[in-house]
Amino acid sequence: MILSELIATSLKKLNLSPDDFSELLIRLLDYGVISRDESHVEAKLYDRYIICQDLVEDYLSPLKVRLQHDNKFKFVRLYPPGASVPGMIDPDSDAFNNGFRVKPNQQEVAVILVLRVEYEKSLREGQVDEKGCVLLPLEGLAIAHKNLLRRSLPDNLGERKAIFKRLRQLRLIHFNAEADLESAESWISIQPSITSFVSSEVLDSLYPQTATDANSSSSNTTNNTSNSNEEATDVL
């Protein structure tokens, strides 16, 4: 029996059509993530994933594609071959290098690092909503970016919008409308999936857990950030 027939037989038992399965896979492979809270469409696809989760994993496993499913915050993220996944054990041997991964550029990585630090701060202060999201004003992001990385966000509004739109596509942040990004008084929502994008080692180098660590590492912040950019990029 060929693969398509096996899939069709399995889908029939789950009361799903091949088109349903195809739509789910295409969306997951295209976006790399499906978050139930993002939209009505993704809520439908996430619920469908829950039904056929084992079949999706079996279908992608020969390609060495890995899936991270967060039951609490209801999102599933795809990691291409060779990617390091926080919280998951890496294979002993890996024949892949970059594969079909599309890595964020350095500006995007820098913002991701700052968002992760701000998320961790809010998490420790208990300023996280019931969905695990953290609200952050754009002005606060700009200040944190300057303080942590010793450089400002891009001056060009178009470049900043492109970064935020890319991070929204990765389901790391959420904002209502693109026009909101034009005002420093606007707010964005940092999504809990940000924790899967930056390893604990990278986070610790940027945001020490104790005041003593923070004082001792303050002089090395710029060097740590440069190294962290490379490490964080490799996580994606």
Side-chain angles (χ1 to χ4, degrees):
M1 184 179 294
I2 61 175
L3 180 60
S4 60
E5 292 176 345
L6 287 171
I7 293 174
T9 300
S10 298
L11 288 173
K12 188 174 182 180
K13 295 177 182 178
L14 299 172
N15 199 29
L16 292 174
S17 71
D19 287 342
D20 291 335
F21 188 65
S22 177
E23 181 186 20
L24 171 60
L25 283 173
I26 289 173
R27 180 77 173 211
L28 187 57
L29 290 167
D30 186 22
Y31 282 73
V33 58
I34 292 175
S35 174
R36 198 181 194 285
D37 293 330
E38 177 64 23
S39 65
H40 175 72
V41 171
E42 293 210 0
K44 179 184 68 174
L45 291 174
Y46 177 85
D47 291 343
R48 189 181 302 167
Y49 170 79
I50 296 300
I51 296 173
C52 60
Q53 178 176 351
D54 291 342
L55 187 58
V56 172
E57 292 179 357
D58 288 345
Y59 183 84
L60 295 175
S61 61
L63 300 176
K64 304 298 182 182
V65 172
R66 307 171 76 184
L67 291 170
Q68 180 190 39
H69 179 210
D70 192 306
N71 289 288
K72 181 178 180 181
F73 297 120
K74 301 185 184 306
F75 70 84
V76 56
R77 188 178 296 280
L78 177 151
Y79 288 88
S84 176
V85 184
M88 296 178 67
I89 299 174
D90 292 329
D92 293 334
S93 60
D94 199 332
F96 295 92
N97 185 13
N98 287 329
F100 55 79
R101 281 185 287 175
V102 178
K103 294 184 178 180
N105 60 41
Q106 286 299 309
Q107 287 184 334
E108 293 166 351
V109 168
V111 176
I112 290 172
L113 292 174
V114 176
L115 289 170
R116 181 66 179 93
V117 170
E118 290 302 303
Y119 187 90
E120 186 68 16
K121 288 180 180 179
S122 295
L123 185 64
R124 294 180 182 181
E125 295 169 1
Q127 299 177 354
V128 180
D129 68 19
E130 67 279 1
K131 294 182 178 180
C133 301
V134 168
L135 287 176
L136 180 68
L138 290 181
E139 183 179 15
L141 174 61
I143 293 173
H145 193 284
K146 181 69 173 180
N147 290 341
L148 184 65
L149 305 184
R150 304 295 189 265
R151 62 176 183 266
S152 302
L153 288 169
D155 293 328
N156 184 277
L157 179 60
E159 291 182 17
R160 292 202 303 273
K161 283 186 175 181
I163 292 173
F164 293 135
K165 287 169 65 178
R166 170 63 171 156
L167 300 191
R168 182 175 66 176
Q169 185 182 40
L170 293 172
R171 302 298 182 255
L172 299 180
I173 64 172
H174 180 76
F175 52 86
N176 292 326
E178 188 175 334
D180 294 340
L181 302 176
E182 300 176 5
S183 172
E185 298 179 356
S186 297
W187 294 68
I188 60 173
S189 174
I190 309 176
Q191 304 298 291
S193 60
I194 189 76
T195 60
S196 69
F197 250 64
V198 181
S199 69
S200 58
E201 291 80 8
V202 173
L203 177 62
D204 288 343
S205 72
L206 293 168
Y207 185 43
Q209 296 185 12
T210 67
T212 301
D213 292 338
N215 291 332
S216 64
S217 64
S218 60
S219 62
N220 297 322
T221 299
T222 301
N223 290 335
N224 285 342
T225 299
S226 177
N227 295 333
S228 299
N229 281 353
E230 297 178 2
E231 293 177 30
T233 303
D234 195 44
V235 168
L236 307 183

Short mmCIF file of all heavy atoms in Angstrom, two decimals, residues 156-167 175 178-182:
data_model
loop_
_atom_site.label_atom_id
_atom_site.label_comp_id
_atom_site.label_asym_id
_atom_site.label_seq_id
_atom_site.Cartn_x
_atom_site.Cartn_y
_atom_site.Cartn_z
N ASN A 156 14.39 53.91 10.61
CA ASN A 156 13.42 53.88 9.52
C ASN A 156 12.16 53.13 9.95
O ASN A 156 12.22 51.98 10.38
CB ASN A 156 14.04 53.20 8.30
CG ASN A 156 13.13 53.20 7.10
OD1 ASN A 156 12.25 52.35 6.98
ND2 ASN A 156 13.30 54.18 6.21
N LEU A 157 11.00 53.80 9.83
CA LEU A 157 9.73 53.20 10.25
C LEU A 157 9.43 51.93 9.46
O LEU A 157 8.93 50.94 10.01
CB LEU A 157 8.60 54.21 10.08
CG LEU A 157 7.19 53.72 10.45
CD1 LEU A 157 7.13 53.29 11.90
CD2 LEU A 157 6.16 54.82 10.17
N GLY A 158 9.75 51.93 8.18
CA GLY A 158 9.49 50.76 7.36
C GLY A 158 10.28 49.55 7.82
O GLY A 158 9.78 48.42 7.83
N GLU A 159 11.54 49.77 8.23
CA GLU A 159 12.37 48.67 8.73
C GLU A 159 11.81 48.13 10.03
O GLU A 159 11.79 46.91 10.25
CB GLU A 159 13.81 49.15 8.93
CG GLU A 159 14.55 49.46 7.63
CD GLU A 159 15.98 49.88 7.90
OE1 GLU A 159 16.48 49.61 9.01
OE2 GLU A 159 16.61 50.47 7.01
N ARG A 160 11.38 49.03 10.92
CA ARG A 160 10.82 48.58 12.20
C ARG A 160 9.54 47.78 11.97
O ARG A 160 9.32 46.74 12.59
CB ARG A 160 10.53 49.78 13.10
CG ARG A 160 11.78 50.50 13.59
CD ARG A 160 11.50 51.30 14.85
NE ARG A 160 10.43 52.26 14.68
CZ ARG A 160 10.59 53.50 14.23
NH1 ARG A 160 11.80 53.93 13.89
NH2 ARG A 160 9.55 54.32 14.12
N LYS A 161 8.70 48.27 11.06
CA LYS A 161 7.46 47.55 10.77
C LYS A 161 7.76 46.16 10.22
O LYS A 161 7.08 45.19 10.57
CB LYS A 161 6.62 48.33 9.76
CG LYS A 161 5.87 49.52 10.35
CD LYS A 161 4.96 50.14 9.30
CE LYS A 161 4.11 51.26 9.87
NZ LYS A 161 3.20 51.84 8.85
N ALA A 162 8.77 46.07 9.36
CA ALA A 162 9.12 44.78 8.76
C ALA A 162 9.56 43.79 9.83
O ALA A 162 9.21 42.60 9.78
CB ALA A 162 10.23 44.97 7.73
N ILE A 163 10.31 44.27 10.83
CA ILE A 163 10.75 43.41 11.92
C ILE A 163 9.55 42.90 12.71
O ILE A 163 9.41 41.71 12.98
CB ILE A 163 11.71 44.16 12.86
CG1 ILE A 163 13.03 44.45 12.14
CG2 ILE A 163 11.97 43.35 14.13
CD1 ILE A 163 13.97 45.34 12.93
N PHE A 164 8.65 43.82 13.08
CA PHE A 164 7.50 43.44 13.90
C PHE A 164 6.55 42.52 13.14
O PHE A 164 5.97 41.59 13.73
CB PHE A 164 6.75 44.69 14.38
CG PHE A 164 7.54 45.52 15.35
CD1 PHE A 164 7.59 46.90 15.23
CD2 PHE A 164 8.24 44.93 16.38
CE1 PHE A 164 8.33 47.66 16.12
CE2 PHE A 164 8.98 45.69 17.28
CZ PHE A 164 9.03 47.06 17.15
N LYS A 165 6.40 42.75 11.85
CA LYS A 165 5.53 41.90 11.05
C LYS A 165 6.12 40.49 10.95
O LYS A 165 5.39 39.50 10.99
CB LYS A 165 5.33 42.50 9.65
CG LYS A 165 4.43 43.73 9.64
CD LYS A 165 4.47 44.45 8.30
CE LYS A 165 3.88 43.64 7.19
NZ LYS A 165 3.87 44.38 5.90
N ARG A 166 7.44 40.41 10.84
CA ARG A 166 8.10 39.10 10.78
C ARG A 166 7.92 38.36 12.10
O ARG A 166 7.64 37.16 12.12
CB ARG A 166 9.59 39.31 10.47
CG ARG A 166 10.45 38.06 10.61
CD ARG A 166 10.06 36.98 9.66
NE ARG A 166 11.03 35.90 9.68
CZ ARG A 166 10.78 34.65 9.32
NH1 ARG A 166 9.57 34.32 8.90
NH2 ARG A 166 11.71 33.73 9.35
N LEU A 167 8.07 39.08 13.21
CA LEU A 167 7.94 38.43 14.52
C LEU A 167 6.49 38.03 14.78
O LEU A 167 6.24 37.06 15.48
CB LEU A 167 8.45 39.35 15.62
CG LEU A 167 9.92 39.76 15.53
CD1 LEU A 167 10.38 40.44 16.81
CD2 LEU A 167 10.82 38.57 15.21
N PHE A 175 -0.06 42.22 17.53
CA PHE A 175 -0.56 43.59 17.56
C PHE A 175 -1.77 43.66 16.65
O PHE A 175 -1.92 42.86 15.73
CB PHE A 175 0.51 44.61 17.14
CG PHE A 175 1.19 44.30 15.82
CD1 PHE A 175 0.66 44.70 14.62
CD2 PHE A 175 2.39 43.58 15.80
CE1 PHE A 175 1.29 44.42 13.42
CE2 PHE A 175 3.03 43.28 14.60
CZ PHE A 175 2.47 43.71 13.41
N GLU A 178 -1.22 47.27 11.69
CA GLU A 178 0.10 47.78 11.34
C GLU A 178 0.24 49.26 11.69
O GLU A 178 1.33 49.73 12.04
CB GLU A 178 0.35 47.56 9.85
CG GLU A 178 1.76 47.89 9.40
CD GLU A 178 2.00 47.55 7.94
OE1 GLU A 178 1.29 46.66 7.42
OE2 GLU A 178 2.87 48.18 7.33
N ALA A 179 -0.87 49.98 11.63
CA ALA A 179 -0.84 51.41 11.94
C ALA A 179 -0.45 51.65 13.39
O ALA A 179 0.10 52.70 13.74
CB ALA A 179 -2.20 52.04 11.65
N ASP A 180 -0.71 50.66 14.26
CA ASP A 180 -0.35 50.81 15.67
C ASP A 180 1.15 50.93 15.88
O ASP A 180 1.60 51.45 16.90
CB ASP A 180 -0.87 49.61 16.48
CG ASP A 180 -2.40 49.56 16.52
OD1 ASP A 180 -3.02 50.60 16.28
OD2 ASP A 180 -2.94 48.48 16.78
N LEU A 181 1.92 50.43 14.92
CA LEU A 181 3.37 50.43 15.06
C LEU A 181 3.98 51.80 14.82
O LEU A 181 5.19 51.99 15.00
CB LEU A 181 3.98 49.42 14.08
CG LEU A 181 3.51 47.97 14.22
CD1 LEU A 181 4.12 47.12 13.13
CD2 LEU A 181 3.86 47.41 15.59
N GLU A 182 3.17 52.75 14.42
CA GLU A 182 3.68 54.10 14.12
C GLU A 182 3.77 54.98 15.36
O GLU A 182 4.35 56.05 15.31
CB GLU A 182 2.80 54.75 13.06
CG GLU A 182 2.77 53.98 11.74
CD GLU A 182 1.81 54.59 10.72
OE1 GLU A 182 1.26 55.68 11.02
OE2 GLU A 182 1.62 53.99 9.65
#
